[in-house]
């Protein structure tokens, strides 16, 4: 009986098996990813000893003051101040043996050059040993090794004006602080003497004031104490939790995604299993009735069917697990590269086995539940009526009478009638295509939105053609003057505005806080505000969304800012969204207050007929002290790596969504056609042709999928934005209101057409299966 | 009278490797307005013959001419149209559609065939249901009526498009004696109005209502009995004659 079943429903059983294999495979891989991340991270942290609290600072420091602070605070076990020379990518050239040199100017990463630390926060090589750098040698971050396919023996040249220095790549650096590809900074390692030479001739020094604590959980407390103790704070403060997060985020997301997909696949396999079993019961109900009639117990009948699915589940989970065991190295390659190799031992095998056993148990549990209905079927029900004991339906009120509702097209009438009477069942198709529409639209909408130049508004930037930034501290004022002079004379530039940024002290809800303020005149380059407006006169300030929450201020409130020792009042005129600088920024009207400037930002518009790309290139080549980008490239550069992987994931999701949509439709229609077999046979006898039957299924498939797709499009363009906004505001990334910038042709034409083609194609294939049966065979069966 | 059905050298085989020949070169003709019953022992091939001459099953070889048209090689679309417009079928089970009233069940083939407009269809259905004594349960669903009412509905459904021939496979097989008699009276009544009927039955009393009985044995027609048109007063006589004849044949 079972071989016959397998042969008859080969496709369904193979599909069921495939889904089980995939679920088990992904569960295994997900487990390995998590285990590899945690154990590799544990290993690298134990050798490298990353700081528990780190404060970046640009400017003068008093090492004695720092030491005094460290001595004062009980939790501090060790303190170290690391000097880091930041060099722009345009001044760094990589040369492969026998090839032309390329600069690292296209990289958005901040490139810091350091020497090996003394007591903790060590930079390691690929064997996770602490590097002792030789003179003339350089250790290059793993990120660049992968990006540019660098090899030992290649060279890195640093240039600035007349100064040039070439180093040979002797090792690749594993950095416990900046191990992830999502970190925005990387560190190159030089020998002590080479570092001194670079420091004298290149860039500006930034300090990393680092602390190791007796208890890492006290990092936030130490940070608060530090910030309130008049310590050097001209930069970002980072705690151990953030370091761990940055290191584990990418792989955490990967593992999380795999496990979620595995769970989704388990659910789909569960659907598949349910449909398969129900269809088999429908087809074999008379055989089951006969078995009951001759005295075979419910338990034995159940056991016969369960055996088959137990075998399928065991084979599926077993194969999936074995493939996962062998393939996991591929998925953990990036983690092992970034964090180091660590043998996972027997634990990994056991833990992954447990996760797969969960998949097996779930399938068996479901199988048992569905097959329980065999117990409720009586012999008469099975043999005489061919009923499978599904829940008793209420006696339907006679609706949709033919006299009243059938206009002329009998096929359409029968289809719609069937759809309405069995709406609970057909709801599945509606839901499947609703979800498929979401999967097709949401990631693409997100990518389209983030890639769009208008998204720059969410980065605290104005709408403009060009974005320029001067961060190099040396001669920043002169550089800015030089740049402004050029902009003024440049016929390609229509208009521009200069904005300067610095950090100040303010009073928040929890006491003193540091606030980063950008000063300028916003009339030509206004910021899009969620609430209120851009500041228009002296004494006005707009806050970022996160700063609004942190400082407890909103539009109309007054903010006190300490400038050169004096508290000044600023009226909050607007709240805007900003994902940069952790989301904590502010924009005030006027010229820079205070002595020091942290950076200059210039927005500019190009004259008509000039492309921003060309102008940006010219300025990039002319001025090495700044970054310049066409605004349309701003977001793609900033989110480049995330967009690239998200892009791939989006296309894969689309294919997966279509395949799943098609599969579930096939399974559903198979079940429906099994249930409606007798009805179809009757219609055939009455004179309905195979074409008529096919048309009825197509109409039902079209209507159900159309409703799902329509609802999906409606949701994606309305409610979904609120959901994404909610998630983003919980995630604290600086966004509270999110608006999709959609591609209308994709959203309203391409996507629905593709889904409809899939729905109808699959329905048609299933409907054509009716050709196998001759009328009399259908009646006899 | 003209022939409405001609079957020539019908062969039907089943199975791939161990072939079983169920019909062995059957020749038969049915005149327009004739009432023919096919009888035989279990496994003689009587239902197979019915399905092959009605186009419900594909014969292995042979020819069937129905109403002047060779139906042996018709495609599904044309055969479906034939079933819809020119043939009616009744079976042992009524095969009525669930979630539809008795009236809608009868109306369905008429709406599909569109031989007349909706109003005319409605009238025809009402008349037919009255004639079949099921007009009072017209709006009932199939789980609310008796087996006899269901079978009468099936007859109404088979007749609504005024077919040229009515085929039946053991139409009284699931009915009790009195309901059987009701159904047989209806069939005789419609035959008297000119409907050609070809039935399969194992019931001698049912067979006795026919104009002619064909007896099948091992896939061949071995005998036939002409009884002439049914008259109520001759019922007992016809039954006796039929029983005696069948006994001789070993039925």
């Amino acid at each position: 009986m079972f071989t016959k079943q397998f042969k008859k429903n080969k496709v369904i059983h193979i599909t069921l098996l495939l889904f089980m294999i995939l679920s088990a495979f992904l569960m295994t891989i997900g487990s390995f990813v998590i285990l590899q991340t945690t154990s590799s991270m544990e290993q690298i942290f134990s050798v490298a000893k990353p700081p528990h609290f780190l404060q970046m600072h640009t400017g003068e420091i008093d090492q004695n003051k720092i030491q005094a602070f460290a001595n004062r605070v009980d939790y501090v076990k060790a303190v170290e101040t690391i000097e880091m020379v930041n060099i722009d990518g345009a001044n760094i050239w990589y040369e492969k043996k026998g090839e032309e040199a390329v600069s690292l100017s296209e990289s958005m990463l901040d490139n810091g050059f350091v020497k090996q630390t003394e007591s903790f926060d060590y930079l390691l090589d690929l064997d996770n040993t602490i590097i002792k750098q030789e003179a003339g040698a350089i250790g290059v971050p793993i990120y660049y090794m992968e990006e540019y396919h660098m090899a030992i023996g290649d060279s890195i040249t640093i240039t600035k004006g007349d100064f040039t220095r070439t180093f040979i790549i002797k090792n690749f650096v594993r950095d416990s602080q900046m191990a992830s590809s999502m970190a925005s900074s990387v560190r190159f390692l030089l020998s002590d003497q080479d570092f001194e030479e670079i420091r004298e001739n290149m860039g500006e020094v930034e300090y990393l004031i680092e602390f190791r604590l007796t208890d890492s959980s006290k990092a936030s407390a130490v940070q608060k104490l530090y910030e309130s103790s008049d310590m050097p704070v001209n930069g970002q403060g980072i705690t151990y939790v953030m370091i761990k997060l940055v290191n584990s985020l990418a792989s955490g997301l990967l593992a999380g995604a795999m496990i979620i997909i595995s769970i989704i696949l388990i659910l789909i396999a569960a659907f598949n299993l349910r449909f398969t079993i129900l269809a088999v019961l429908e087809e074999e109900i008379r055989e089951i009735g006969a078995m009951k009639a001759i005295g075979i117990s419910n338990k034995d009948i159940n056991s016969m069917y369960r055996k088959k699915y137990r075998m399928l589940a065991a084979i599926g989970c077993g194969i999936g697990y074995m493939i996962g065991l062998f393939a996991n190295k591929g998925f953990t390659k990036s983690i092992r590269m970034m964090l180091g190799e660590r043998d996972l031992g027997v634990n990994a095998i056991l833990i992954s086995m447990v996760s797969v056993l969960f998949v097996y148990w779930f399938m068996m549990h479901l199988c048992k539940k569905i097959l329980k209905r065999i117990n409720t079927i009586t012999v008469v029900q099975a043999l005489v009526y061919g009923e499978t004991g599904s829940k008793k339906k209420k006696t339907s009120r006679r609706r949709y009478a033919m006299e009243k509702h059938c206009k002329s097209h009998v096929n359409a009438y029968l289809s719609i009638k069937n759809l309405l009477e069995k709406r609970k069942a057909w709801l599945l198709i509606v839901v499947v295509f609703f979800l498929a529409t979401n999967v097709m639209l949401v990631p693409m909408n997100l990518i389209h939105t983030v890639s769009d130049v208008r998204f720059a508004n969410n980065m605290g930037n104005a709408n403009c053609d060009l974005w320029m930034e001067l961060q190099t501290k040396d001669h920043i004022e002169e550089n800015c003057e030089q740049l402004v002079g050029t902009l003024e004379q440049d016929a390609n530039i229509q208009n521009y505005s200069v904005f300067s940024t610095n950090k100040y002290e303010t009073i928040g809800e929890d006491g003193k806080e540091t606030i980063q303020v950008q000063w300028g005149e916003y009339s030509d380059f206004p910021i899009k505000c969620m609430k209120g407006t851009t500041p228009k006169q002296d004494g006005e300030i707009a806050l970022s969304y996160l700063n609004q929450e942190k400082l407890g201020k909103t539009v109309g409130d007054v903010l006190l800012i300490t400038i050169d020792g004096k508290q000044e009042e600023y009226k909050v005129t607007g709240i805007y969204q900003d994902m940069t600088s952790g989301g904590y920024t502010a924009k005030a009207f006027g010229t820079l207050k205070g002595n020091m400037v942290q950076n200059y930002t210039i927005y500019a518009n190009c004259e008509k007929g000039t492309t921003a790309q060309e102008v940006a290139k010219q300025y990039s080549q002319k001025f090495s002290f700044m970054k310049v980008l066409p605004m349309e490239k701003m977001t793609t550069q900033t989110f480049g790596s995330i967009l690239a992987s998200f892009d791939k994931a989006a296309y894969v999701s689309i294919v997966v969504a279509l395949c799943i949509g098609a599969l579930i439709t096939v399974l559903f229609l198979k079940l429906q056609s099994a249930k409606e077999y007798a009805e179809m046979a009757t219609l055939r006898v009455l004179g309905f042709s195979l074409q008529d039957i096919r048309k009825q299924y197509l109409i039902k498939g079209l209507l159900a999928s159309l409703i799902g797709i329509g609802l999906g499009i409606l949701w994606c363009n309305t409610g979904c934005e609120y959901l994404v906004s909610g998630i983003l505001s919980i995630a604290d990334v600086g966004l509270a209101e999110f608006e999709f910038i959609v591609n209308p042709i994709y959203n309203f034409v391409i996507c629905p057409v593709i889904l409809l083609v899939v729905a109808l194609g699959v329905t048609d294939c299933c409907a054509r299966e009716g050709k196998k049966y001759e009328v009399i065979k259908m009646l006899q069966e | 009278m003209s022939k409405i059905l001609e079957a020539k050298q019908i062969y039907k085989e089943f199975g791939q490797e161990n072939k079983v020949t169920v019909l062995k070169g059957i020749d038969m003709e049915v005149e327009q307005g004739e009432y023919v019953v096919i009888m035989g022992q279990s496994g003689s091939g009587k239902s197979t013959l019915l399905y092959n001459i009605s186009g419900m099953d594909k014969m292995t070889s042979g020819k069937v001419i129905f109403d002047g048209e060779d139906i042996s090689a018709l495609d599904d679309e044309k055969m479906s149209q034939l079933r819809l417009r020119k043939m009616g079928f009744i079976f042992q089970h009524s095969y009525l559609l669930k979630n539809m009233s008795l009236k809608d069940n009868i109306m369905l083939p008429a709406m599909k065939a569109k031989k007349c407009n909706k109003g005319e269809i409605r009238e025809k259905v009402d008349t037919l249901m009255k004639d079949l004594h099921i007009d009072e349960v017209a709006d009932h669903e199939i789980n609310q009526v008796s087996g006899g009412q269901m079978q009468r509905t099936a007859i109404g459904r088979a007749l609504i498009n005024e077919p040229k021939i009515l085929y039946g496979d053991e139409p009284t097989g699931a009915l009790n004696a009195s309901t059987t008699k009701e159904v047989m009276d209806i069939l005789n009544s419609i035959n008297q109005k000119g409907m050609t009927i070809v039935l399969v039955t194992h019931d001698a009393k049912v067979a006795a209502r026919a104009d002619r009985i064909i007896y099948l044995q091992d896939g061949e027609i071995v005998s036939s009995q002409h009884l002439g048109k049914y008259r109520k007063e001759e019922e007992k006589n016809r039954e006796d004659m039929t029983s005696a004849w069948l006994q001789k044949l070993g039925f």
Side-chain angles (χ1 to χ4, degrees):
Chain A
M1 182 161 62
F2 298 139
T3 323
K4 181 183 157 194
Q5 263 302 319
F6 269 114
K7 281 185 184 164
K8 198 176 172 189
N9 291 307
K10 233 188 294 187
V11 172
I12 287 181
H13 286 101
I14 289 172
T15 314
L16 182 60
L17 188 66
L18 274 172
F19 269 101
M20 292 202 200
I21 292 172
L22 265 171
S23 320
F25 168 72
L26 288 171
M27 268 296 188
T28 309
I29 298 291
S31 311
F32 271 98
V33 166
I34 292 172
L35 287 166
Q36 187 70 66
T37 304
T38 48
S39 65
S40 291
M41 214 159 75
E42 197 190 309
Q43 195 199 41
I44 191 178
F45 277 25
S46 68
V47 179
K49 297 195 178 81
H52 294 135
F53 167 60
L54 147 77
Q55 175 67 50
M56 298 171 89
H57 175 77
T58 313
E60 302 289 324
I61 60 162
D62 181 349
Q63 193 55 48
N64 293 326
K65 201 173 175 186
I66 294 167
Q67 191 60 58
F69 172 82
N71 294 340
R72 216 167 51 235
V73 177
D74 292 337
Y75 303 128
V76 175
K77 195 163 72 171
V79 59
E80 189 157 358
T81 302
I82 300 165
E83 291 176 328
M84 187 164 74
V85 177
N86 286 314
I87 300 178
D88 195 82
N91 296 335
I92 307 171
W93 293 81
Y94 160 65
E95 191 178 343
K96 203 168 189 62
K97 279 184 190 164
E99 286 178 26
E100 216 177 290
V102 299
S103 86
L104 305 186
S105 56
E106 291 203 346
S107 168
M108 283 285 288
L109 292 176
D110 293 332
N111 302 297
F113 285 71
V114 298
K115 60 183 180 187
Q116 189 59 278
T117 53
E118 284 170 27
S119 47
F120 59 91
D121 191 22
Y122 300 112
L123 294 177
L124 311 178
D125 61 16
L126 293 183
D127 295 324
N128 275 2
T129 50
I130 299 170
I131 301 172
K132 287 188 174 60
Q133 201 61 288
E134 300 165 6
I138 189 166
V140 173
I142 291 173
Y143 171 79
Y144 283 125
M145 178 189 85
E146 305 235 290
E147 190 72 10
Y148 290 88
H149 309 290
M150 293 183 183
I152 304 287
D154 294 343
S155 63
I156 295 283
T157 302
I158 297 167
T159 64
K160 186 184 178 182
D162 293 331
F163 176 79
T164 303
R165 188 76 162 82
T166 299
F167 299 95
I168 303 298
I169 299 175
K170 268 284 153 58
N171 30 51
F172 293 104
V173 173
R174 202 167 268 150
D175 188 339
S176 60
Q177 269 192 56
M178 301 161 189
S180 166
S181 55
M182 291 181 75
S184 59
S185 310
V186 287
R187 290 191 283 183
F188 290 77
L189 183 64
L190 299 170
S191 66
D192 290 6
Q193 69 206 72
D194 288 335
F195 174 77
E196 296 304 324
E197 189 184 349
I198 293 298
R199 192 177 56 162
E200 270 179 46
N201 292 284
M202 301 282 308
E204 58 171 35
V205 174
E206 187 173 19
Y207 296 98
L208 306 177
I209 304 162
E210 300 185 352
F211 298 87
R212 283 279 288 189
L213 309 178
T214 52
D215 179 357
S216 62
S217 66
K218 301 292 180 195
S220 296
V222 170
Q223 182 180 21
K224 243 193 162 83
L225 212 57
Y226 182 90
E227 284 173 355
S228 59
S229 304
D230 191 30
M231 298 296 288
V233 289
N234 191 18
Q236 217 172 340
I238 302 165
T239 60
Y240 192 55
V241 166
M242 278 185 70
I243 291 171
K244 278 173 108 170
L245 186 68
V246 167
N247 278 317
S248 60
L249 187 60
S251 48
L253 284 174
L254 175 68
M258 288 199 153
I259 289 171
I260 288 171
I261 293 170
S262 174
I263 290 171
I264 292 171
L265 287 172
I266 291 170
L267 290 173
I268 293 167
F271 262 130
N272 188 341
L273 183 69
R274 185 173 180 275
F275 281 134
T276 308
I277 295 174
L278 288 177
V280 163
L281 290 183
E282 286 285 340
E283 286 173 9
E284 293 182 1
I285 188 59
R286 288 198 161 85
E287 279 97 330
I288 292 168
M291 281 193 274
K292 282 184 177 238
I294 63 173
I296 298 177
S297 69
N298 287 333
K299 192 177 166 199
D300 289 336
I301 299 172
N302 257 312
S303 165
M304 269 194 316
Y305 283 92
R306 254 211 314 275
K307 223 186 270 181
K308 171 172 99 164
Y309 297 108
R310 196 177 291 141
M311 196 171 68
L312 255 179
I315 293 172
C317 289
I319 294 174
Y321 178 67
M322 293 310 292
I323 299 174
L325 262 187
F326 287 109
N328 78 80
K329 290 275 182 200
F331 288 86
T332 56
K333 187 182 169 194
S334 166
I335 301 163
R336 286 180 289 113
M337 179 58 67
M338 288 301 199
L339 295 173
E341 197 79 45
R342 179 88 186 261
D343 183 24
L344 297 178
V346 173
N347 282 341
I349 294 174
L350 288 173
I351 291 170
S352 54
M353 209 184 275
V354 165
S355 65
V356 169
L357 281 172
F358 164 74
V359 175
Y360 176 79
W361 168 83
F362 180 78
M363 297 308 249
M364 286 298 97
H365 178 70
L366 180 72
C367 190
K368 194 175 166 185
K369 234 179 139 190
I370 300 168
L371 287 171
K372 254 192 186 152
R373 61 174 67 196
I374 287 176
N375 301 350
T376 62
I377 304 170
T378 64
V379 175
V380 169
Q381 261 182 312
L383 283 177
V384 178
Y385 300 112
E387 286 174 5
T388 53
S390 38
K391 285 187 188 147
K392 253 200 170 158
K393 290 165 211 162
K394 290 183 207 162
T395 313
S396 58
R397 287 174 284 137
R398 199 179 57 79
R399 287 179 284 181
Y400 324 120
M402 192 176 285
E403 214 175 336
K404 197 176 169 190
H405 293 93
C406 182
K407 301 298 171 198
S408 58
H409 295 283
V410 176
N411 285 329
Y413 162 76
L414 288 173
S415 307
I416 296 169
K417 183 177 182 303
N418 181 271
L419 206 58
L420 288 170
E421 282 166 358
K422 295 182 183 171
R423 55 185 174 275
K424 275 190 188 165
W426 280 92
L427 190 62
L428 174 70
I429 301 297
V430 174
V431 168
V432 161
F433 279 91
F434 172 80
L435 291 173
T437 309
N438 272 268
V439 170
M440 283 191 78
L441 288 184
V442 172
M444 295 304 269
N445 282 349
L446 277 170
I447 291 167
H448 197 256
T449 304
V450 172
S451 310
D452 194 284
V453 63
R454 286 166 282 177
F455 191 71
N457 282 324
N458 293 319
M459 298 167 66
N461 285 315
N463 280 331
C464 62
D465 294 333
L466 288 170
W467 169 87
M468 302 177 191
E469 193 174 71
L470 283 80
Q471 277 192 354
T472 314
K473 293 298 178 284
D474 283 348
H475 315 294
I476 193 170
E477 301 289 352
E478 294 92 326
N479 291 339
C480 187
E481 257 182 60
Q482 189 186 358
L483 176 61
V484 167
T486 307
L487 286 167
E488 198 62 40
Q489 304 294 324
D490 193 343
N492 290 325
I493 300 293
Q494 189 186 68
N495 62 345
Y496 68 92
S497 264
V498 181
F499 300 89
S500 47
T501 304
N502 203 359
K503 275 193 176 174
Y504 305 90
E505 202 179 80
T506 186
I507 312 290
E509 285 197 316
D510 298 327
K512 282 188 189 166
E513 300 281 0
T514 308
I515 186 170
Q516 181 175 290
V517 182
Q518 186 187 65
W519 301 87
E521 213 262 286
Y522 296 93
S523 54
D524 285 343
F525 299 96
I527 304 298
K528 188 179 166 197
C529 288
M530 287 161 54
K531 289 182 225 171
T533 58
T534 330
K536 289 189 178 95
Q537 58 192 24
D538 278 327
E540 288 186 350
I541 193 166
L543 297 178
S544 68
Y545 169 71
L546 285 183
N547 252 339
Q548 175 203 224
E549 307 244 304
K550 185 177 166 187
L551 302 174
K553 300 286 179 194
T554 188
V555 174
D557 290 346
V558 167
L559 185 71
L560 294 171
I561 298 178
T562 305
I563 299 169
D564 290 336
K566 270 193 251 169
Q567 274 195 342
E568 291 184 23
E569 284 186 357
Y570 285 84
K571 187 180 165 197
V572 178
T573 59
I575 307 293
Y576 62 93
Q577 302 198 107
D578 193 351
M579 293 170 69
T580 60
S581 300
Y584 294 99
T585 61
K587 294 183 190 292
F589 183 91
T591 50
L592 177 79
K593 302 281 168 70
N595 296 327
M596 276 188 357
V597 62
Q598 204 174 326
N599 64 54
Y600 283 106
T601 306
I602 294 121
Y603 300 131
N605 283 324
C606 299
E607 287 289 357
K608 277 192 186 136
T610 323
T611 62
Q613 180 81 21
E614 280 169 22
V615 177
K617 195 174 173 186
Q618 282 165 23
Y619 276 80
S620 174
Q621 284 168 350
K622 190 170 180 178
F623 301 110
S624 60
F625 50 71
M626 66 174 206
K627 282 183 188 160
V628 55
L629 282 173
M631 190 55 88
E632 64 190 16
K633 287 252 157 81
M634 179 71 177
T635 49
T636 48
Q637 279 265 1
T638 309
F639 300 108
S641 59
I642 299 174
L643 275 177
S645 32
F646 206 62
D647 206 36
K648 281 182 212 156
Y651 284 113
V652 168
S653 305
I654 288 169
V655 171
V656 168
L658 289 174
C659 289
I660 289 171
L663 173 72
I664 292 184
T665 306
V666 164
L667 295 172
F668 174 77
L669 288 173
K670 275 236 140 202
L671 178 63
Q672 284 303 107
S673 65
K675 281 185 169 176
E676 293 167 1
Y677 206 52
E679 211 173 296
M680 278 164 59
T682 305
L683 290 177
R684 294 280 283 124
V685 170
L686 293 178
F688 283 76
S689 64
L690 288 168
Q691 269 293 93
D692 289 317
I693 306 296
R694 190 172 147 243
K695 273 181 201 166
Q696 287 176 32
Y697 272 105
L698 280 172
I699 292 169
K700 286 187 278 192
L702 174 70
L703 286 173
S705 57
L706 210 51
I707 292 169
I709 294 166
L711 288 173
I713 292 176
L714 186 66
W715 164 253
C716 287
N717 288 286
T718 54
C720 196
E721 280 181 356
Y722 292 111
L723 183 65
V724 174
S725 296
I727 292 169
L728 288 172
S729 60
I730 291 169
D732 258 2
V733 295
L735 293 183
E737 280 178 9
F738 189 86
E739 263 179 52
F740 280 127
I741 302 168
V742 302
N743 178 342
I745 296 190
Y746 176 76
N747 269 30
F748 299 111
V749 178
I750 295 174
C751 172
V753 164
I754 291 174
L755 284 166
L756 272 174
V757 164
V758 165
L760 291 177
V762 158
T763 308
D764 194 38
C765 286
C766 290
R768 281 176 193 274
E769 283 237 317
K771 241 186 176 150
K772 283 188 196 164
Y773 300 102
E774 287 158 17
V775 176
I776 196 57
K777 282 182 183 159
M778 288 166 86
L779 271 177
Q780 283 168 343
E781 285 192 31
Chain B
M1 268 197 288
S2 59
K3 281 178 245 190
I4 185 143
L5 180 72
E6 270 183 85
K8 293 176 182 175
Q9 287 294 293
I10 308 293
Y11 277 88
K12 178 67 184 177
E13 285 171 357
F14 288 102
Q16 302 277 0
E17 285 171 21
N18 302 316
K19 283 196 182 147
V20 175
T21 309
V22 177
L23 300 176
K24 298 169 184 170
I26 304 264
D27 291 310
M28 81 180 253
E29 287 170 3
V30 178
E31 304 283 339
Q32 194 143 338
E34 202 180 359
Y35 188 158
V36 176
V37 157
I38 302 170
M39 283 196 86
Q41 302 274 24
S42 196
S44 58
K46 51 187 189 295
S47 292
T48 309
L49 177 61
L50 182 79
Y51 296 142
N52 276 269
I53 60 174
S54 63
M56 294 261 273
D57 197 3
K58 275 199 163 65
M59 60 200 115
T60 309
S61 65
K63 207 179 199 178
V64 174
I65 298 173
F66 173 74
D67 197 25
E69 194 176 2
D70 182 357
I71 67 168
S72 330
L74 285 182
D75 63 22
D76 181 77
E77 198 64 40
K78 289 193 175 121
M79 199 61 228
S80 298
Q81 282 295 306
L82 212 63
R83 279 200 298 275
L84 180 67
R85 292 167 187 282
K86 291 189 179 180
M87 295 179 184
F89 291 88
I90 48 176
F91 303 92
Q92 186 170 335
H93 300 290
S94 58
Y95 293 122
L96 297 177
L97 294 172
K98 291 184 238 181
N99 296 333
M100 249 189 190
S101 66
L102 300 191
K103 187 171 181 177
D104 281 352
N105 265 283
I106 295 174
M107 217 169 157
L108 179 63
M111 291 294 287
K112 174 72 178 146
K114 289 185 203 161
K115 276 183 175 176
C116 44
N117 64 41
K118 206 168 169 183
E120 286 165 354
I121 291 173
R122 203 181 302 128
E123 269 179 44
K124 275 172 92 173
V125 170
D126 289 341
T127 309
L128 200 51
M129 292 193 89
K130 222 179 243 163
D131 292 341
L132 292 168
H133 309 294
I134 48 173
D135 50 315
E136 283 175 9
V137 291
D139 289 337
H140 284 51
E141 286 184 10
I142 61 170
N143 55 1
Q144 296 170 316
V145 297
S146 69
Q149 286 168 326
M150 280 166 61
Q151 195 62 306
R152 274 178 275 156
T153 306
I155 294 170
R157 184 179 65 183
L159 297 176
I160 189 63
N161 281 334
E162 292 163 4
K164 298 228 167 171
I165 193 166
L166 179 68
Y167 292 105
D169 186 6
E170 306 271 11
T172 60
L175 304 174
N176 59 31
S178 67
T179 318
T180 297
K181 192 174 180 307
E182 274 175 31
V183 169
M184 295 323 298
D185 287 342
I186 291 167
L187 291 178
N188 276 116
S189 159
I190 58 176
N191 175 244
Q192 270 157 23
K193 289 174 187 165
M195 175 70 67
T196 311
I197 300 178
V198 177
L199 278 194
V200 160
T201 187
H202 64 273
D203 189 337
K205 282 188 174 171
V206 171
R209 297 282 195 119
D211 297 349
R212 176 163 58 108
I213 309 170
I214 292 171
Y215 191 83
L216 235 62
Q217 195 168 14
D218 294 328
E220 289 173 320
I221 296 175
V222 295
S223 181
S224 68
Q225 166 89 324
H226 288 265
L227 296 171
K229 279 288 172 216
Y230 170 77
R231 280 196 299 213
K232 197 173 164 52
E233 52 274 20
E234 291 171 2
E235 191 170 323
K236 186 73 175 67
N237 216 20
R238 291 169 75 98
E239 283 175 15
D240 291 340
M241 270 176 69
T242 305
S243 295
W245 175 69
L246 287 170
Q247 231 174 1
K248 261 194 216 164
L249 291 167
F251 184 76

